[in-house]
Amino acid sequence: MNDKILNFSVRYGFLILLVGLVVYFSLAAPGFFGPLSAAFVLQSVAITGILALGVTCTLVVDGFDLSIGAVATSALMLSAYSMVILEHSAIVAVMLCLGMGALVGLINGLLIVKFRVPDLLATLGMMFLLIGVQRIPTQGNSIATGMTLPGGTVAEGTFSAAFLWLGRHRFDVVIERLLPMPVVIFVVIAVVIWLFLGFTRHGRLMYAIGSNARAASLVGTPVNRYKIAAYMISGVTASIGGILLAARLGRGDIASGNNLLLDSVAAALIGFAVLGAARPNAFGTAIGALFVGILLQGMTMMNAPYYTQDFVKGAVLVAALVFTFYLSSRRTGAGH
Amino acid sequence: MSEAALQVSGLQKSFGKNHVLRGIDVTLAPGSVTVLMGANGAGKSTLVKVICGHHAADAGQMTLAGKPFDPADAADAISHGVVTVHQSIDDGVIPALDVANNLMLDRLVERGHGLFVRERHLRAEASKVAAEMGITVNMRARVTDLSVADRQMIAIARAMARAPKVLILDEPTSSLSATEADRLFDLIDRLRAQGVAILYISHRMSDIRRIADRIVVMRDGAISGVFDEEPLDFEAAVTAMLGHRMNEVDIQQQQGTTPVLELTDLHIRENAAPITLTARDGEVVALVGLLGSGKSALADILFGIARPLGGSMRINGNGYTPRSVEDAVAQGVFMSPKDRGTNAVVPAFDIADNMTLPFLGGFSLGSFLSKRQQRRRADAMVDQVGIVCQSVSDGIGTLSGGNQQKVMIARWLLEPAQVLLLDEPFQGVDIGARRDIGRHIRATAEGRATLVFLAEIDEALEIADRIIVMNEGALAAEHINDNIDLTALVADITGPSAQGTGQSL
């Protein structure tokens, strides 16, 4: 009987908590339960969610990507530089950013696989490198139309409408202009990565690598290629996050995106607790991101001061980790 | 006879339904070396684990110098003076620390030691311990950088530092060269003279001849022979170890038909004679040898993990030069590796996923896996191989060792192989499961060449049509498994290293 309760709480505890939160905020904060508020929550978690899905792929192969936040801000600056200063079209800017993300992922992967640098150190190094690189072309300044360039000329280019559409367009769902484009992209990426990790043989092999890389290689799995692929997925999703951020802001803001890394890693780790998976998974990551979003939105609407936000996120993360590791170890322990 | 140092009587231990120890009586006398022999799965390591406090016995008593001895855990056993050097060396050393720190580690743990480490003093003390043991390595060298043999000596030296009354050595020479082993034997002689009771587990005849005062033989969880009269009857001990089991296992010896795998002048190691070998369709060939005999090196080359130094390999008449494991699998060469825990089992996966792992491509439609197909094939295999489980969607960790191993072997029987390599397929497997695996391998042998790499003679006798002995990276002898001359076979396996030619890894 006790085992059943434990099993049930490990499996559904987090989802029940999520539903409970929604019910509580709906009753306590007028206006929380409604399409506008829901769209706002989704909007707030879309970009961190996309980054978190990428880092989930690296967690699956027992790796870790600390460079995602820096990749996202680099994509933000690169897209601004490309359109405002080099006067490229939206397509070119987007392609440049995606290419940059893939390249960074490839370099991360090669550092880890070929040069045997531990994953945390390799991606930490890459994070510093990118934070530095993105400041060099503009001498540490943000990029906006009309800014004076080092040579004395004025930047003439603008963010094209097509690019801004990516960040600002809202689809008509239930009420007019409700659902923002980044949310749609987030959902699409979440579904794709969920299918990829959970239901394809490539995903299954990646989980095998994460659980026992040696066993995976001894059945003929090209372990190194899958690991590199995981970092490339992570790099590309992070650059998508950066593109969407740029499109929403409409300028190359050097200071934005500071919290992206920690928030998205937190979402991926909270995801371990969802449905008692005790391992990285795309569905859990998306729910984890949503959980943090709902909590912060509800608290804001109940007038909790902004500076309590990080504390709340931290508390949720620690609780989720205890949930995952302590309770599921008890559960497997009971099985023997 | 003086009072026994350690007396074990009526010891029983079961794991689930598996009755591993069925009433063991052993007496260790101070100042004598008792050698414990037994085939894999006979229960030797379980007995050791009960004595050193790792497992609790289900029934029976132990007395240590006349007083009841019931260790709560390993630390308790050590504090009573029962010290064990386990087979896996790295349990006994801390690789990241230097030699001096490793030797003095127990001193550092003591409460009265003080806060700061006095490096110079520590090294001086450690050098003294090392000199007594005849260890001549740099005290500042990190243990990771040492050879396996040096690490083994250090693990033993650490055990000595605890002044044991009873010392248990679990296959201590399995990774030592002949000269290094001699150093160890000198040390054992010295300890024997000091009155330490030693339990020495090994089946290397050369070791046993050199140091045994008594031989105790275990088979199937019971003592099958005790030999303590001078001169010790080694042949009788080997027979007691293998028992009558050879007669029970009925091998219909197969000649095999067409040659499948042909190795010509394959050079696997510097200074070793090249290997020429043919394995035919339908036959099971056992390659038997001690650790370091080159079995694993040959298996690695055949499976594309390592490259030969020279020579050629052919499969069905076509040249075979695998560039990677992936390549080998694609050409129909499959290998079930040894040490399934590290090399084969994916702990996070269920039985069906573990079993189908190498051939996921065959269970998917445009990359998307079909859970139903996976389960159907896994269910069929579970019936064929006789895997005991509730459902194939149970975690692999819920299975016993023998059943896990069956899953790992079944993995490679899903698709037809040209050459099937099984490296130590009976490692950590109980007798029942071992029979099941052997029977199934033989029953499915047609259509491929099967090579089994083994350290134990009796396992080879159970499964093989032909037994090839490896030594020093080359083939030493070949026997057809039909009224085999056991004494000659044992001599082939252990012989040369007993002459002190040295055996390097």
Side-chain angles (χ1 to χ4, degrees):
Chain A
M1 191 57 211
N2 253 339
D3 273 4
K4 269 193 181 162
I5 295 173
L6 186 68
N7 259 326
F8 183 83
S9 56
V10 167
R11 229 176 131 67
Y12 299 108
F14 220 82
L15 290 179
I16 290 170
L17 201 60
L18 182 67
V19 173
L21 263 183
V22 172
V23 171
Y24 171 74
F25 284 134
S26 306
L27 296 175
F32 177 83
F33 193 81
L36 271 176
S37 162
F40 191 85
V41 169
L42 286 170
Q43 163 104 325
S44 72
V45 303
I47 290 171
T48 46
I50 290 170
L51 266 66
L53 288 163
V55 89
T56 303
C57 292
T58 60
L59 289 170
V60 166
V61 294
D62 196 24
F64 205 103
D65 191 349
L66 283 176
S67 70
I68 47 168
V71 171
T73 51
S74 299
L76 167 86
M77 295 305 286
L78 178 62
S79 60
Y81 194 84
S82 155
M83 282 179 293
V84 173
I85 295 170
L86 303 176
E87 302 184 25
H88 288 150
S89 69
I91 294 281
V92 174
V94 168
M95 287 301 155
L96 272 177
C97 291
L98 295 180
M100 185 272 302
L103 179 70
V104 171
L106 179 68
I107 295 171
N108 277 335
L110 289 173
L111 283 175
I112 291 160
V113 165
K114 296 283 177 215
F115 296 94
R116 314 228 164 251
V117 183
D119 44 26
L120 281 174
L121 306 186
T123 56
L124 182 77
M126 183 55 73
M127 177 182 101
F128 272 110
L129 193 123
L130 288 174
I131 289 176
V133 158
Q134 63 186 308
R135 289 164 189 239
I136 292 171
T138 59
Q139 300 175 327
N141 296 315
S142 294
I143 301 173
T145 304
M147 70 183 286
T148 315
L149 296 175
T153 51
V154 171
E156 298 280 342
T158 54
F159 277 74
S160 75
F163 189 84
L164 294 174
W165 181 85
L166 286 173
R168 296 175 175 175
H169 181 75
R170 284 165 176 269
F171 293 95
D172 303 335
V173 181
V174 187
I175 52 177
E176 242 174 78
R177 293 182 44 73
L178 176 72
L179 197 62
M181 189 65 188
V183 174
V184 176
I185 295 174
F186 166 53
V187 172
V188 169
I189 292 177
V191 169
V192 168
I193 290 193
W194 176 66
L195 288 174
F196 175 75
L197 288 178
F199 300 93
T200 70
R201 67 190 182 93
H202 304 295
R204 198 62 50 89
L205 289 174
M206 283 169 64
Y207 275 110
I209 291 167
S211 180
N212 186 345
R214 180 145 180 80
S217 79
L218 284 177
V219 299
T221 312
V223 171
N224 288 352
R225 259 183 277 159
Y226 275 109
K227 279 195 172 170
I228 292 174
Y231 285 97
M232 289 182 72
I233 293 171
S234 171
V236 170
T237 49
S239 69
I240 293 174
I243 293 168
L244 296 179
L245 192 59
R248 200 158 91 192
L249 297 172
R251 59 193 293 261
D253 191 344
I254 203 100
S256 57
N258 284 338
N259 256 339
L260 280 176
L261 170 67
L262 291 180
D263 284 359
S264 46
V265 167
L269 293 180
I270 292 170
F272 282 31
V274 177
L275 287 180
R279 59 181 189 177
N281 66 100
F283 178 74
T285 299
I287 296 293
L290 208 57
F291 190 93
V292 174
I294 286 171
L295 195 61
L296 295 185
Q297 166 79 346
M299 288 178 49
T300 312
M301 292 183 78
M302 290 179 70
N303 297 323
Y306 72 92
Y307 50 77
T308 55
Q309 288 194 354
D310 278 341
F311 168 74
V312 171
K313 279 188 245 176
V316 171
L317 178 58
V318 171
L321 292 176
V322 170
F323 224 96
T324 305
F325 293 101
Y326 181 65
L327 290 184
S328 33
S329 75
R330 289 257 311 262
R331 187 173 54 155
T332 48
H336 278 274
Chain B
M1 198 170 132
S2 59
E3 195 187 9
L6 178 73
Q7 185 155 21
V8 174
S9 49
L11 203 70
Q12 299 204 26
K13 178 74 190 170
S14 301
F15 295 106
K17 270 182 277 171
N18 193 1
H19 210 151
V20 183
L21 299 180
R22 307 158 183 265
I24 300 283
D25 301 297
V26 179
T27 306
L28 302 184
S32 99
V33 177
T34 306
V35 168
L36 180 63
M37 286 172 76
N40 262 356
K44 287 172 304 187
S45 48
T46 308
L47 176 61
V48 169
K49 282 179 178 161
V50 171
I51 296 175
C52 75
H54 214 84
H55 292 319
D58 295 338
Q61 294 96 42
M62 294 189 282
T63 53
L64 189 67
K67 292 193 206 79
F69 171 61
D70 181 22
D73 54 28
D76 191 25
I78 290 169
S79 70
H80 282 88
V82 177
V83 178
T84 308
V85 179
H86 291 281
Q87 196 176 359
S88 63
I89 305 153
D90 287 338
D91 291 354
V93 291
I94 295 174
L97 292 181
D98 66 14
V99 173
N101 273 291
N102 263 287
L103 289 174
M104 292 291 107
L105 203 58
D106 300 281
R107 212 65 65 78
L108 294 180
V109 178
E110 283 165 17
R111 275 173 174 266
H113 182 270
L115 182 59
F116 291 99
V117 177
R118 287 145 67 205
E119 287 287 351
R120 191 174 306 168
H121 179 71
L122 186 94
R123 267 200 294 278
E125 288 277 292
S127 312
K128 227 184 289 170
V129 173
E132 281 172 30
M133 298 271 308
I135 296 177
T136 51
V137 293
N138 182 358
M139 286 294 129
R140 292 172 192 246
R142 279 209 206 174
V143 170
T144 1
D145 303 330
L146 299 181
S147 70
V148 185
D150 281 332
R151 267 188 267 175
Q152 177 72 296
M153 294 300 278
I154 286 164
I156 294 170
R158 272 194 62 201
M160 298 307 172
R162 291 160 171 157
K165 289 200 219 55
V166 175
L167 178 68
I168 303 171
L169 299 168
D170 193 354
E171 306 211 16
T173 52
S174 58
S175 44
L176 300 188
S177 73
T179 29
E180 287 162 335
D182 276 340
R183 260 159 60 196
L184 177 67
F185 297 147
D186 289 345
L187 186 78
I188 290 175
D189 286 341
R190 216 173 306 157
L191 289 166
R192 171 163 45 195
Q194 288 170 17
V196 179
I198 296 165
L199 183 65
Y200 187 98
I201 296 154
S202 178
H203 30 233
R204 238 162 118 170
M205 288 313 294
S206 53
D207 291 13
I208 297 170
R209 284 204 173 88
R210 166 73 173 76
I211 57 159
D213 295 315
R214 292 167 75 225
I215 300 176
V216 174
V217 184
M218 277 182 81
R219 195 177 75 233
D220 292 350
I223 302 290
S224 63
V226 177
F227 303 87
D228 50 7
E229 278 168 33
E230 290 289 338
L232 294 171
D233 188 348
F234 298 108
E235 305 307 333
V238 172
T239 316
M241 176 172 99
L242 301 180
H244 302 291
R245 216 183 297 132
M246 291 98 63
N247 308 343
E248 288 167 28
V249 187
D250 217 7
I251 295 245
Q252 291 285 330
Q253 205 257 330
Q254 303 287 324
Q255 298 284 344
T257 53
T258 51
V260 177
L261 178 72
E262 293 167 279
L263 309 180
T264 315
D265 294 333
L266 197 71
H267 214 126
I268 65 169
R269 190 189 286 172
E270 293 286 347
N271 307 322
I275 293 174
T276 297
L277 170 71
T278 303
R280 289 178 289 268
D281 185 345
E283 74 169 344
V284 178
V285 180
L287 287 133
V288 182
L290 299 169
L291 192 98
S293 60
K295 284 178 312 190
S296 296
L298 178 59
D300 284 355
I301 288 168
L302 289 171
F303 199 44
I305 299 169
R307 311 279 166 272
L309 299 174
S312 69
M313 303 185 271
R314 298 175 87 74
I315 290 177
N316 291 329
N318 303 315
Y320 170 69
T321 44
R323 279 168 287 115
S324 62
V325 171
E326 215 185 339
D327 195 20
V329 173
Q331 298 192 51
V333 177
F334 303 160
M335 178 170 88
S336 165
K338 62 180 174 189
D339 298 329
R340 67 169 173 275
T342 39
N343 294 330
V345 172
V346 179
F349 281 8
D350 64 14
I351 296 166
D353 274 340
N354 259 294
M355 199 187 285
T356 53
L357 191 64
F359 304 111
L360 286 181
F363 296 99
S364 48
L365 199 72
S367 283
F368 277 90
L369 284 169
S370 159
K371 188 84 200 158
R372 184 135 45 88
Q373 277 187 48
Q374 276 182 295
R375 293 195 53 153
R376 197 187 303 147
R377 280 306 300 279
D379 275 330
M381 265 297 166
V382 162
D383 290 344
Q384 274 178 42
V385 189
I387 296 166
V388 183
C389 65
Q390 307 274 322
S391 141
V392 291
S393 33
D394 285 350
I396 190 81
T398 63
L399 298 183
S400 70
N403 281 306
Q404 284 190 19
Q405 185 68 14
K406 285 181 188 174
V407 174
M408 295 308 126
I409 303 233
R411 185 185 263 182
W412 297 109
L413 299 173
L414 284 173
E415 303 248 316
Q418 300 294 329
V419 178
L420 181 64
L421 310 168
L422 302 168
D423 196 358
E424 295 293 351
F426 305 126
Q427 209 172 34
V429 161
D430 61 276
I431 301 271
R434 169 170 146 190
R435 295 263 162 80
D436 285 350
I437 292 171
R439 204 177 303 131
H440 197 72
I441 296 295
R442 289 197 60 81
T444 58
E446 210 161 306
R448 62 161 193 254
T450 308
L451 264 58
V452 190
F453 299 84
L454 294 165
E456 308 269 348
I457 307 163
D458 60 325
E459 294 175 355
L461 292 170
E462 268 182 31
I463 195 172
D465 297 308
R466 207 152 42 109
I467 298 176
I468 293 174
V469 178
M470 284 192 74
N471 210 319
E472 310 276 335
L475 303 188
E478 182 173 338
H479 298 261
I480 301 292
N481 190 8
D482 191 15
N483 289 324
I484 212 160
D485 180 357
L486 272 186
T487 326
L489 182 58
V490 172
D492 282 335
I493 293 172
T494 54
S497 51
Q499 313 304 318
T501 46
Q503 180 195 11
S504 54
L505 272 178

